[in-house]
Each structure stands twice: as structure tokens, then as C-alpha cells.
Amino acid sequence: MFRRNNHHDQAAEFRAAAAQLIASAAEPASPAPVGAAPGAGETGGVDLEIPAELHVPPAGDLAGSMMRYWAPLTVDGVVVSCSECGVYRDWLVLSSGDKVWVRCRSGHDTPVPGLDAAWYERTAGPVEGLYTSRESGETAFGYDGTFAGVIL
């Protein structure tokens, strides 16, 4: 019986402490913008304008996208290889609409019928850059034929 009362007392103390903590908690004040006068941040929100050069166009406005894929690419248990030079890894994967194809460092394009836009979206990482044309993207990634025969 002594033990039960002790438990009851501890639970009551815990509830009282929790209620006091909740009652004393106040919503944190938002910091004022750098260089603003004291109290200026309390009257209105800060208008953050993103510079135009940092805007990413909507996916519908892009002709396609591309990503590096270093490992061998396997589709339905078959390793994809270049039909012209035989390379089987270090790809630039290109996606436009629902079509996906790969490009080797020698600049050869190989269609991959087993891959679609859904696979590309699941696999693609963050955007590394935006290019005005497919050719400028291939050059920036190093898949324009400059490194023909080289697997990095």
C-alpha cells in the first residue's frame, strides 16, 4: 500500500510539473532581419525575393533532362552496352518525354526500351545544371566524344 501511494504521488508531481512547463512555454519570437530596426520584424513578414538566375523552370518547359550513371545498367537481367564500342558503364542517361536512352563517353546513343520516364524520375538525383541545348549539356558532362574510349 505504501508503494501504491508513492507511485500516485510521483505521477501527480509529474503531471503538475508538465502542466507548469506547458503553461510557461511561450511561442518563440521570430528574429528581426539583419539591419532592421528593433521591432520592425514584428509588424509584417519579410519579403524574400529569389533572384531570377536561381529560378528553375517547370519540368514541362524543359525539353528533357540528363544524369550520370556510373555503374553498369541492368534492364530485365541484361547489362546494357553500347552497340558501337561495347562499353557497359559510365553512362549519360537522357530522358525526353517517355523515352530514355544512354550515351557513352565516345558519343554513341543507345536506346533502352526497358526504361521509361518513371524509372528516370525514381533514379535521378538533384539537378546539377541547366543547359540551353542537349549538346551543351553533353559537353558539360563530358559525353560529347572528347573522352572517346575512356572510362572514368
Side-chain angles (χ1 to χ4, degrees):
M1 185 123 157
F2 178 73
R3 185 177 177 116
R4 178 180 279 172
N5 288 339
N6 191 16
H7 251 341
H8 181 68
D9 292 343
Q10 286 177 347
E13 286 176 21
F14 177 77
R15 283 191 203 101
Q20 184 181 10
L21 181 64
I22 291 170
S24 67
E27 208 170 300
S30 58
V34 175
E42 298 172 6
T43 58
V46 178
D47 185 25
L48 298 176
E49 183 63 33
I50 298 173
E53 62 271 9
L54 296 178
H55 286 223
V56 177
D61 292 352
L62 299 173
S65 58
M66 54 186 78
M67 70 171 173
R68 291 184 179 110
Y69 196 90
W70 301 101
L73 183 58
T74 305
V75 179
D76 296 328
V78 178
V79 176
V80 176
S81 63
C82 178
S83 57
E84 294 186 42
C85 64
V87 72
Y88 62 93
R89 62 185 175 103
D90 192 15
W91 298 108
L92 181 66
V93 182
L94 300 110
S95 173
S96 180
D98 198 38
K99 296 180 183 176
V100 175
W101 63 99
V102 293
R103 184 176 179 91
C104 67
R105 292 247 180 222
S106 297
H108 307 130
D109 289 337
T110 303
V112 185
L115 301 181
D116 58 3
W119 174 89
Y120 184 88
E121 292 299 322
R122 285 191 312 269
T123 309
V127 174
E128 293 184 36
L130 297 174
Y131 305 100
T132 56
S133 67
R134 175 182 162 182
E135 292 78 20
S136 63
E138 291 168 351
T139 301
F141 281 112
Y143 290 84
D144 58 348
T146 303
F147 298 106
V150 175
I151 298 177
L152 300 175

PDB file of all heavy atoms in Angstrom, residues 109-148:
ATOM      1  N   ASP A 109      24.787   7.071 -78.967  1.00  0.00           N
ATOM      2  CA  ASP A 109      23.493   6.950 -78.301  1.00  0.00           C
ATOM      3  C   ASP A 109      22.968   5.521 -78.449  1.00  0.00           C
ATOM      4  O   ASP A 109      23.041   4.941 -79.528  1.00  0.00           O
ATOM      5  CB  ASP A 109      22.474   7.910 -78.912  1.00  0.00           C
ATOM      6  CG  ASP A 109      22.762   9.358 -78.559  1.00  0.00           C
ATOM      7  OD1 ASP A 109      23.431   9.591 -77.538  1.00  0.00           O
ATOM      8  OD2 ASP A 109      22.304  10.246 -79.298  1.00  0.00           O
ATOM      9  N   THR A 110      22.440   4.984 -77.345  1.00  0.00           N
ATOM     10  CA  THR A 110      21.863   3.645 -77.349  1.00  0.00           C
ATOM     11  C   THR A 110      20.484   3.712 -76.714  1.00  0.00           C
ATOM     12  O   THR A 110      20.360   4.073 -75.539  1.00  0.00           O
ATOM     13  CB  THR A 110      22.745   2.662 -76.541  1.00  0.00           C
ATOM     14  OG1 THR A 110      24.061   2.664 -77.083  1.00  0.00           O
ATOM     15  CG2 THR A 110      22.173   1.263 -76.579  1.00  0.00           C
ATOM     16  N   PRO A 111      19.420   3.402 -77.485  1.00  0.00           N
ATOM     17  CA  PRO A 111      18.081   3.405 -76.879  1.00  0.00           C
ATOM     18  C   PRO A 111      17.942   2.249 -75.886  1.00  0.00           C
ATOM     19  O   PRO A 111      18.526   1.187 -76.064  1.00  0.00           O
ATOM     20  CB  PRO A 111      17.144   3.227 -78.074  1.00  0.00           C
ATOM     21  CG  PRO A 111      17.985   2.654 -79.155  1.00  0.00           C
ATOM     22  CD  PRO A 111      19.402   3.050 -78.893  1.00  0.00           C
ATOM     23  N   VAL A 112      17.179   2.481 -74.829  1.00  0.00           N
ATOM     24  CA  VAL A 112      16.948   1.453 -73.811  1.00  0.00           C
ATOM     25  C   VAL A 112      15.434   1.296 -73.666  1.00  0.00           C
ATOM     26  O   VAL A 112      14.798   2.013 -72.896  1.00  0.00           O
ATOM     27  CB  VAL A 112      17.598   1.827 -72.463  1.00  0.00           C
ATOM     28  CG1 VAL A 112      17.456   0.683 -71.471  1.00  0.00           C
ATOM     29  CG2 VAL A 112      19.057   2.195 -72.640  1.00  0.00           C
ATOM     30  N   PRO A 113      14.836   0.353 -74.416  1.00  0.00           N
ATOM     31  CA  PRO A 113      13.376   0.223 -74.382  1.00  0.00           C
ATOM     32  C   PRO A 113      12.816  -0.205 -73.041  1.00  0.00           C
ATOM     33  O   PRO A 113      11.661   0.059 -72.748  1.00  0.00           O
ATOM     34  CB  PRO A 113      13.083  -0.822 -75.467  1.00  0.00           C
ATOM     35  CG  PRO A 113      14.381  -1.391 -75.890  1.00  0.00           C
ATOM     36  CD  PRO A 113      15.477  -0.560 -75.342  1.00  0.00           C
ATOM     37  N   GLY A 114      13.584  -0.852 -72.187  1.00  0.00           N
ATOM     38  CA  GLY A 114      13.076  -1.313 -70.898  1.00  0.00           C
ATOM     39  C   GLY A 114      12.979  -0.223 -69.847  1.00  0.00           C
ATOM     40  O   GLY A 114      12.471  -0.455 -68.747  1.00  0.00           O
ATOM     41  N   LEU A 115      13.473   0.970 -70.134  1.00  0.00           N
ATOM     42  CA  LEU A 115      13.423   2.083 -69.174  1.00  0.00           C
ATOM     43  C   LEU A 115      12.431   3.128 -69.656  1.00  0.00           C
ATOM     44  O   LEU A 115      12.282   3.356 -70.854  1.00  0.00           O
ATOM     45  CB  LEU A 115      14.809   2.710 -69.018  1.00  0.00           C
ATOM     46  CG  LEU A 115      15.920   1.773 -68.543  1.00  0.00           C
ATOM     47  CD1 LEU A 115      17.224   2.538 -68.419  1.00  0.00           C
ATOM     48  CD2 LEU A 115      15.557   1.131 -67.225  1.00  0.00           C
ATOM     49  N   ASP A 116      11.770   3.784 -68.699  1.00  0.00           N
ATOM     50  CA  ASP A 116      10.812   4.827 -69.035  1.00  0.00           C
ATOM     51  C   ASP A 116      11.016   6.035 -68.127  1.00  0.00           C
ATOM     52  O   ASP A 116      11.904   6.046 -67.276  1.00  0.00           O
ATOM     53  CB  ASP A 116       9.385   4.304 -68.948  1.00  0.00           C
ATOM     54  CG  ASP A 116       9.041   3.764 -67.568  1.00  0.00           C
ATOM     55  OD1 ASP A 116       9.886   3.839 -66.654  1.00  0.00           O
ATOM     56  OD2 ASP A 116       7.910   3.284 -67.393  1.00  0.00           O
ATOM     57  N   ALA A 117      10.193   7.043 -68.316  1.00  0.00           N
ATOM     58  CA  ALA A 117      10.312   8.279 -67.536  1.00  0.00           C
ATOM     59  C   ALA A 117      10.121   8.021 -66.042  1.00  0.00           C
ATOM     60  O   ALA A 117      10.756   8.671 -65.213  1.00  0.00           O
ATOM     61  CB  ALA A 117       9.302   9.314 -68.029  1.00  0.00           C
ATOM     62  N   ALA A 118       9.275   7.078 -65.667  1.00  0.00           N
ATOM     63  CA  ALA A 118       9.062   6.774 -64.246  1.00  0.00           C
ATOM     64  C   ALA A 118      10.349   6.243 -63.619  1.00  0.00           C
ATOM     65  O   ALA A 118      10.713   6.626 -62.503  1.00  0.00           O
ATOM     66  CB  ALA A 118       7.929   5.769 -64.079  1.00  0.00           C
ATOM     67  N   TRP A 119      11.063   5.346 -64.329  1.00  0.00           N
ATOM     68  CA  TRP A 119      12.349   4.853 -63.831  1.00  0.00           C
ATOM     69  C   TRP A 119      13.328   6.006 -63.679  1.00  0.00           C
ATOM     70  O   TRP A 119      14.024   6.109 -62.680  1.00  0.00           O
ATOM     71  CB  TRP A 119      12.938   3.801 -64.787  1.00  0.00           C
ATOM     72  CG  TRP A 119      14.316   3.382 -64.386  1.00  0.00           C
ATOM     73  CD1 TRP A 119      14.644   2.374 -63.528  1.00  0.00           C
ATOM     74  CD2 TRP A 119      15.556   3.979 -64.788  1.00  0.00           C
ATOM     75  NE1 TRP A 119      16.022   2.306 -63.377  1.00  0.00           N
ATOM     76  CE2 TRP A 119      16.596   3.290 -64.149  1.00  0.00           C
ATOM     77  CE3 TRP A 119      15.891   5.027 -65.632  1.00  0.00           C
ATOM     78  CZ2 TRP A 119      17.938   3.610 -64.316  1.00  0.00           C
ATOM     79  CZ3 TRP A 119      17.230   5.357 -65.800  1.00  0.00           C
ATOM     80  CH2 TRP A 119      18.230   4.644 -65.146  1.00  0.00           C
ATOM     81  N   TYR A 120      13.363   6.888 -64.680  1.00  0.00           N
ATOM     82  CA  TYR A 120      14.285   8.026 -64.638  1.00  0.00           C
ATOM     83  C   TYR A 120      14.001   8.913 -63.421  1.00  0.00           C
ATOM     84  O   TYR A 120      14.910   9.304 -62.705  1.00  0.00           O
ATOM     85  CB  TYR A 120      14.187   8.843 -65.931  1.00  0.00           C
ATOM     86  CG  TYR A 120      15.184   9.962 -65.976  1.00  0.00           C
ATOM     87  CD1 TYR A 120      16.452   9.753 -66.478  1.00  0.00           C
ATOM     88  CD2 TYR A 120      14.865  11.227 -65.489  1.00  0.00           C
ATOM     89  CE1 TYR A 120      17.394  10.768 -66.504  1.00  0.00           C
ATOM     90  CE2 TYR A 120      15.799  12.244 -65.510  1.00  0.00           C
ATOM     91  CZ  TYR A 120      17.055  12.015 -66.023  1.00  0.00           C
ATOM     92  OH  TYR A 120      17.983  13.025 -66.022  1.00  0.00           O
ATOM     93  N   GLU A 121      12.745   9.214 -63.178  1.00  0.00           N
ATOM     94  CA  GLU A 121      12.376  10.074 -62.049  1.00  0.00           C
ATOM     95  C   GLU A 121      12.735   9.433 -60.706  1.00  0.00           C
ATOM     96  O   GLU A 121      13.142  10.117 -59.780  1.00  0.00           O
ATOM     97  CB  GLU A 121      10.879  10.404 -62.081  1.00  0.00           C
ATOM     98  CG  GLU A 121      10.489  11.293 -63.243  1.00  0.00           C
ATOM     99  CD  GLU A 121      11.186  12.638 -63.216  1.00  0.00           C
ATOM    100  OE1 GLU A 121      11.374  13.209 -62.125  1.00  0.00           O
ATOM    101  OE2 GLU A 121      11.557  13.117 -64.296  1.00  0.00           O
ATOM    102  N   ARG A 122      12.593   8.116 -60.593  1.00  0.00           N
ATOM    103  CA  ARG A 122      12.953   7.418 -59.359  1.00  0.00           C
ATOM    104  C   ARG A 122      14.459   7.413 -59.140  1.00  0.00           C
ATOM    105  O   ARG A 122      14.927   7.426 -58.013  1.00  0.00           O
ATOM    106  CB  ARG A 122      12.459   5.969 -59.388  1.00  0.00           C
ATOM    107  CG  ARG A 122      10.997   5.779 -59.189  1.00  0.00           C
ATOM    108  CD  ARG A 122      10.635   4.313 -58.975  1.00  0.00           C
ATOM    109  NE  ARG A 122      11.223   3.406 -59.947  1.00  0.00           N
ATOM    110  CZ  ARG A 122      10.654   3.034 -61.099  1.00  0.00           C
ATOM    111  NH1 ARG A 122       9.475   3.520 -61.419  1.00  0.00           N
ATOM    112  NH2 ARG A 122      11.249   2.197 -61.909  1.00  0.00           N
ATOM    113  N   THR A 123      15.230   7.374 -60.222  1.00  0.00           N
ATOM    114  CA  THR A 123      16.677   7.198 -60.145  1.00  0.00           C
ATOM    115  C   THR A 123      17.436   8.509 -60.110  1.00  0.00           C
ATOM    116  O   THR A 123      18.498   8.593 -59.492  1.00  0.00           O
ATOM    117  CB  THR A 123      17.150   6.354 -61.346  1.00  0.00           C
ATOM    118  OG1 THR A 123      16.353   5.173 -61.422  1.00  0.00           O
ATOM    119  CG2 THR A 123      18.600   5.962 -61.201  1.00  0.00           C
ATOM    120  N   ALA A 124      16.922   9.532 -60.755  1.00  0.00           N
ATOM    121  CA  ALA A 124      17.644  10.797 -60.894  1.00  0.00           C
ATOM    122  C   ALA A 124      17.839  11.483 -59.550  1.00  0.00           C
ATOM    123  O   ALA A 124      16.960  11.455 -58.695  1.00  0.00           O
ATOM    124  CB  ALA A 124      16.898  11.730 -61.842  1.00  0.00           C
ATOM    125  N   GLY A 125      18.992  12.069 -59.368  1.00  0.00           N
ATOM    126  CA  GLY A 125      19.292  12.831 -58.160  1.00  0.00           C
ATOM    127  C   GLY A 125      18.958  14.297 -58.374  1.00  0.00           C
ATOM    128  O   GLY A 125      18.182  14.650 -59.270  1.00  0.00           O
ATOM    129  N   PRO A 126      19.565  15.171 -57.589  1.00  0.00           N
ATOM    130  CA  PRO A 126      19.296  16.595 -57.736  1.00  0.00           C
ATOM    131  C   PRO A 126      19.841  17.147 -59.048  1.00  0.00           C
ATOM    132  O   PRO A 126      20.769  16.585 -59.638  1.00  0.00           O
ATOM    133  CB  PRO A 126      20.033  17.218 -56.543  1.00  0.00           C
ATOM    134  CG  PRO A 126      21.027  16.207 -56.119  1.00  0.00           C
ATOM    135  CD  PRO A 126      20.496  14.869 -56.513  1.00  0.00           C
ATOM    136  N   VAL A 127      19.276  18.239 -59.497  1.00  0.00           N
ATOM    137  CA  VAL A 127      19.691  18.883 -60.744  1.00  0.00           C
ATOM    138  C   VAL A 127      21.105  19.435 -60.567  1.00  0.00           C
ATOM    139  O   VAL A 127      21.391  20.139 -59.611  1.00  0.00           O
ATOM    140  CB  VAL A 127      18.715  20.024 -61.111  1.00  0.00           C
ATOM    141  CG1 VAL A 127      19.205  20.797 -62.312  1.00  0.00           C
ATOM    142  CG2 VAL A 127      17.327  19.465 -61.355  1.00  0.00           C
ATOM    143  N   GLU A 128      21.983  19.081 -61.498  1.00  0.00           N
ATOM    144  CA  GLU A 128      23.364  19.557 -61.434  1.00  0.00           C
ATOM    145  C   GLU A 128      23.580  20.808 -62.268  1.00  0.00           C
ATOM    146  O   GLU A 128      24.557  21.513 -62.078  1.00  0.00           O
ATOM    147  CB  GLU A 128      24.322  18.457 -61.918  1.00  0.00           C
ATOM    148  CG  GLU A 128      24.366  17.261 -60.997  1.00  0.00           C
ATOM    149  CD  GLU A 128      25.380  16.228 -61.448  1.00  0.00           C
ATOM    150  OE1 GLU A 128      26.439  16.615 -61.968  1.00  0.00           O
ATOM    151  OE2 GLU A 128      25.110  15.042 -61.284  1.00  0.00           O
ATOM    152  N   GLY A 129      22.709  21.072 -63.199  1.00  0.00           N
ATOM    153  CA  GLY A 129      22.844  22.261 -64.026  1.00  0.00           C
ATOM    154  C   GLY A 129      21.745  22.315 -65.067  1.00  0.00           C
ATOM    155  O   GLY A 129      21.103  21.313 -65.366  1.00  0.00           O
ATOM    156  N   LEU A 130      21.533  23.501 -65.617  1.00  0.00           N
ATOM    157  CA  LEU A 130      20.569  23.705 -66.698  1.00  0.00           C
ATOM    158  C   LEU A 130      21.343  24.164 -67.922  1.00  0.00           C
ATOM    159  O   LEU A 130      22.224  25.025 -67.823  1.00  0.00           O
ATOM    160  CB  LEU A 130      19.524  24.745 -66.301  1.00  0.00           C
ATOM    161  CG  LEU A 130      18.646  24.367 -65.114  1.00  0.00           C
ATOM    162  CD1 LEU A 130      17.756  25.538 -64.722  1.00  0.00           C
ATOM    163  CD2 LEU A 130      17.795  23.155 -65.434  1.00  0.00           C
ATOM    164  N   TYR A 131      21.023  23.598 -69.073  1.00  0.00           N
ATOM    165  CA  TYR A 131      21.755  23.903 -70.296  1.00  0.00           C
ATOM    166  C   TYR A 131      20.782  24.330 -71.376  1.00  0.00           C
ATOM    167  O   TYR A 131      19.646  23.878 -71.428  1.00  0.00           O
ATOM    168  CB  TYR A 131      22.560  22.671 -70.732  1.00  0.00           C
ATOM    169  CG  TYR A 131      23.460  22.177 -69.622  1.00  0.00           C
ATOM    170  CD1 TYR A 131      23.095  21.098 -68.827  1.00  0.00           C
ATOM    171  CD2 TYR A 131      24.639  22.841 -69.318  1.00  0.00           C
ATOM    172  CE1 TYR A 131      23.901  20.674 -67.783  1.00  0.00           C
ATOM    173  CE2 TYR A 131      25.448  22.425 -68.273  1.00  0.00           C
ATOM    174  CZ  TYR A 131      25.073  21.339 -67.519  1.00  0.00           C
ATOM    175  OH  TYR A 131      25.866  20.938 -66.477  1.00  0.00           O
ATOM    176  N   THR A 132      21.261  25.176 -72.261  1.00  0.00           N
ATOM    177  CA  THR A 132      20.398  25.708 -73.316  1.00  0.00           C
ATOM    178  C   THR A 132      20.117  24.695 -74.411  1.00  0.00           C
ATOM    179  O   THR A 132      19.153  24.832 -75.145  1.00  0.00           O
ATOM    180  CB  THR A 132      21.041  26.961 -73.935  1.00  0.00           C
ATOM    181  OG1 THR A 132      22.354  26.617 -74.402  1.00  0.00           O
ATOM    182  CG2 THR A 132      21.143  28.078 -72.907  1.00  0.00           C
ATOM    183  N   SER A 133      20.965  23.682 -74.533  1.00  0.00           N
ATOM    184  CA  SER A 133      20.753  22.656 -75.547  1.00  0.00           C
ATOM    185  C   SER A 133      21.272  21.311 -75.046  1.00  0.00           C
ATOM    186  O   SER A 133      22.044  21.257 -74.091  1.00  0.00           O
ATOM    187  CB  SER A 133      21.473  23.024 -76.851  1.00  0.00           C
ATOM    188  OG  SER A 133      22.874  22.984 -76.657  1.00  0.00           O
ATOM    189  N   ARG A 134      20.863  20.272 -75.727  1.00  0.00           N
ATOM    190  CA  ARG A 134      21.346  18.938 -75.375  1.00  0.00           C
ATOM    191  C   ARG A 134      22.860  18.856 -75.562  1.00  0.00           C
ATOM    192  O   ARG A 134      23.576  18.293 -74.739  1.00  0.00           O
ATOM    193  CB  ARG A 134      20.639  17.903 -76.253  1.00  0.00           C
ATOM    194  CG  ARG A 134      21.153  16.514 -76.039  1.00  0.00           C
ATOM    195  CD  ARG A 134      20.475  15.521 -76.947  1.00  0.00           C
ATOM    196  NE  ARG A 134      21.285  14.309 -77.009  1.00  0.00           N
ATOM    197  CZ  ARG A 134      21.009  13.271 -77.734  1.00  0.00           C
ATOM    198  NH1 ARG A 134      19.919  13.262 -78.472  1.00  0.00           N
ATOM    199  NH2 ARG A 134      21.798  12.226 -77.737  1.00  0.00           N
ATOM    200  N   GLU A 135      23.347  19.442 -76.638  1.00  0.00           N
ATOM    201  CA  GLU A 135      24.780  19.403 -76.940  1.00  0.00           C
ATOM    202  C   GLU A 135      25.609  20.089 -75.861  1.00  0.00           C
ATOM    203  O   GLU A 135      26.667  19.598 -75.469  1.00  0.00           O
ATOM    204  CB  GLU A 135      25.058  20.040 -78.308  1.00  0.00           C
ATOM    205  CG  GLU A 135      24.509  19.251 -79.480  1.00  0.00           C
ATOM    206  CD  GLU A 135      23.009  19.419 -79.681  1.00  0.00           C
ATOM    207  OE1 GLU A 135      22.423  20.420 -79.180  1.00  0.00           O
ATOM    208  OE2 GLU A 135      22.405  18.535 -80.305  1.00  0.00           O
ATOM    209  N   SER A 136      25.137  21.218 -75.355  1.00  0.00           N
ATOM    210  CA  SER A 136      25.893  21.920 -74.305  1.00  0.00           C
ATOM    211  C   SER A 136      25.904  21.109 -73.009  1.00  0.00           C
ATOM    212  O   SER A 136      26.899  21.088 -72.282  1.00  0.00           O
ATOM    213  CB  SER A 136      25.346  23.325 -74.067  1.00  0.00           C
ATOM    214  OG  SER A 136      24.024  23.282 -73.592  1.00  0.00           O
ATOM    215  N   GLY A 137      24.819  20.381 -72.716  1.00  0.00           N
ATOM    216  CA  GLY A 137      24.792  19.503 -71.551  1.00  0.00           C
ATOM    217  C   GLY A 137      25.733  18.327 -71.705  1.00  0.00           C
ATOM    218  O   GLY A 137      26.460  17.965 -70.786  1.00  0.00           O
ATOM    219  N   GLU A 138      25.751  17.732 -72.899  1.00  0.00           N
ATOM    220  CA  GLU A 138      26.661  16.612 -73.163  1.00  0.00           C
ATOM    221  C   GLU A 138      28.111  17.056 -73.033  1.00  0.00           C
ATOM    222  O   GLU A 138      28.945  16.339 -72.486  1.00  0.00           O
ATOM    223  CB  GLU A 138      26.397  16.038 -74.555  1.00  0.00           C
ATOM    224  CG  GLU A 138      25.066  15.331 -74.666  1.00  0.00           C
ATOM    225  CD  GLU A 138      24.671  15.016 -76.095  1.00  0.00           C
ATOM    226  OE1 GLU A 138      25.355  15.489 -77.048  1.00  0.00           O
ATOM    227  OE2 GLU A 138      23.683  14.304 -76.279  1.00  0.00           O
ATOM    228  N   THR A 139      28.420  18.234 -73.519  1.00  0.00           N
ATOM    229  CA  THR A 139      29.783  18.764 -73.421  1.00  0.00           C
ATOM    230  C   THR A 139      30.145  19.021 -71.966  1.00  0.00           C
ATOM    231  O   THR A 139      31.235  18.671 -71.517  1.00  0.00           O
ATOM    232  CB  THR A 139      29.918  20.066 -74.232  1.00  0.00           C
ATOM    233  OG1 THR A 139      29.593  19.774 -75.597  1.00  0.00           O
ATOM    234  CG2 THR A 139      31.316  20.626 -74.141  1.00  0.00           C
ATOM    235  N   ALA A 140      29.229  19.608 -71.201  1.00  0.00           N
ATOM    236  CA  ALA A 140      29.500  19.921 -69.793  1.00  0.00           C
ATOM    237  C   ALA A 140      29.738  18.654 -68.981  1.00  0.00           C
ATOM    238  O   ALA A 140      30.587  18.627 -68.089  1.00  0.00           O
ATOM    239  CB  ALA A 140      28.339  20.711 -69.198  1.00  0.00           C
ATOM    240  N   PHE A 141      29.009  17.577 -69.287  1.00  0.00           N
ATOM    241  CA  PHE A 141      29.169  16.317 -68.574  1.00  0.00           C
ATOM    242  C   PHE A 141      30.344  15.499 -69.105  1.00  0.00           C
ATOM    243  O   PHE A 141      30.769  14.543 -68.474  1.00  0.00           O
ATOM    244  CB  PHE A 141      27.895  15.474 -68.648  1.00  0.00           C
ATOM    245  CG  PHE A 141      26.824  15.901 -67.681  1.00  0.00           C
ATOM    246  CD1 PHE A 141      25.653  16.470 -68.131  1.00  0.00           C
ATOM    247  CD2 PHE A 141      26.988  15.708 -66.324  1.00  0.00           C
ATOM    248  CE1 PHE A 141      24.661  16.843 -67.244  1.00  0.00           C
ATOM    249  CE2 PHE A 141      25.996  16.073 -65.427  1.00  0.00           C
ATOM    250  CZ  PHE A 141      24.834  16.649 -65.892  1.00  0.00           C
ATOM    251  N   GLY A 142      30.858  15.834 -70.292  1.00  0.00           N
ATOM    252  CA  GLY A 142      31.991  15.109 -70.875  1.00  0.00           C
ATOM    253  C   GLY A 142      31.588  13.915 -71.719  1.00  0.00           C
ATOM    254  O   GLY A 142      32.362  12.972 -71.874  1.00  0.00           O
ATOM    255  N   TYR A 143      30.399  13.934 -72.299  1.00  0.00           N
ATOM    256  CA  TYR A 143      29.918  12.824 -73.121  1.00  0.00           C
ATOM    257  C   TYR A 143      29.738  13.253 -74.575  1.00  0.00           C
ATOM    258  O   TYR A 143      28.894  12.743 -75.289  1.00  0.00           O
ATOM    259  CB  TYR A 143      28.592  12.289 -72.574  1.00  0.00           C
ATOM    260  CG  TYR A 143      28.756  11.568 -71.264  1.00  0.00           C
ATOM    261  CD1 TYR A 143      28.785  12.256 -70.060  1.00  0.00           C
ATOM    262  CD2 TYR A 143      28.902  10.194 -71.233  1.00  0.00           C
ATOM    263  CE1 TYR A 143      28.940  11.601 -68.866  1.00  0.00           C
ATOM    264  CE2 TYR A 143      29.064   9.520 -70.025  1.00  0.00           C
ATOM    265  CZ  TYR A 143      29.086  10.230 -68.848  1.00  0.00           C
ATOM    266  OH  TYR A 143      29.245   9.580 -67.656  1.00  0.00           O
ATOM    267  N   ASP A 144      30.555  14.190 -75.027  1.00  0.00           N
ATOM    268  CA  ASP A 144      30.442  14.692 -76.389  1.00  0.00           C
ATOM    269  C   ASP A 144      31.434  14.030 -77.349  1.00  0.00           C
ATOM    270  O   ASP A 144      31.554  14.434 -78.485  1.00  0.00           O
ATOM    271  CB  ASP A 144      30.650  16.201 -76.400  1.00  0.00           C
ATOM    272  CG  ASP A 144      31.986  16.612 -75.831  1.00  0.00           C
ATOM    273  OD1 ASP A 144      32.672  15.760 -75.220  1.00  0.00           O
ATOM    274  OD2 ASP A 144      32.366  17.794 -75.981  1.00  0.00           O
ATOM    275  N   GLY A 145      32.131  13.014 -76.908  1.00  0.00           N
ATOM    276  CA  GLY A 145      33.106  12.328 -77.751  1.00  0.00           C
ATOM    277  C   GLY A 145      34.534  12.736 -77.443  1.00  0.00           C
ATOM    278  O   GLY A 145      35.472  12.122 -77.940  1.00  0.00           O
ATOM    279  N   THR A 146      34.732  13.763 -76.643  1.00  0.00           N
ATOM    280  CA  THR A 146      36.068  14.222 -76.285  1.00  0.00           C
ATOM    281  C   THR A 146      36.848  13.123 -75.562  1.00  0.00           C
ATOM    282  O   THR A 146      38.045  12.950 -75.778  1.00  0.00           O
ATOM    283  CB  THR A 146      35.995  15.472 -75.377  1.00  0.00           C
ATOM    284  OG1 THR A 146      35.265  16.473 -76.075  1.00  0.00           O
ATOM    285  CG2 THR A 146      37.373  15.985 -75.027  1.00  0.00           C
ATOM    286  N   PHE A 147      36.173  12.371 -74.707  1.00  0.00           N
ATOM    287  CA  PHE A 147      36.818  11.306 -73.924  1.00  0.00           C
ATOM    288  C   PHE A 147      36.544   9.936 -74.532  1.00  0.00           C
ATOM    289  O   PHE A 147      36.373   8.952 -73.817  1.00  0.00           O
ATOM    290  CB  PHE A 147      36.320  11.340 -72.476  1.00  0.00           C
ATOM    291  CG  PHE A 147      36.652  12.607 -71.769  1.00  0.00           C
ATOM    292  CD1 PHE A 147      35.687  13.557 -71.514  1.00  0.00           C
ATOM    293  CD2 PHE A 147      37.953  12.860 -71.362  1.00  0.00           C
ATOM    294  CE1 PHE A 147      35.990  14.738 -70.864  1.00  0.00           C
ATOM    295  CE2 PHE A 147      38.271  14.040 -70.702  1.00  0.00           C
ATOM    296  CZ  PHE A 147      37.286  14.976 -70.447  1.00  0.00           C
ATOM    297  N   ALA A 148      36.514   9.840 -75.858  1.00  0.00           N
ATOM    298  CA  ALA A 148      36.237   8.575 -76.536  1.00  0.00           C
ATOM    299  C   ALA A 148      37.209   7.496 -76.072  1.00  0.00           C
ATOM    300  O   ALA A 148      38.424   7.714 -76.033  1.00  0.00           O
ATOM    301  CB  ALA A 148      36.333   8.761 -78.044  1.00  0.00           C
TER     302      ALA A 148
END
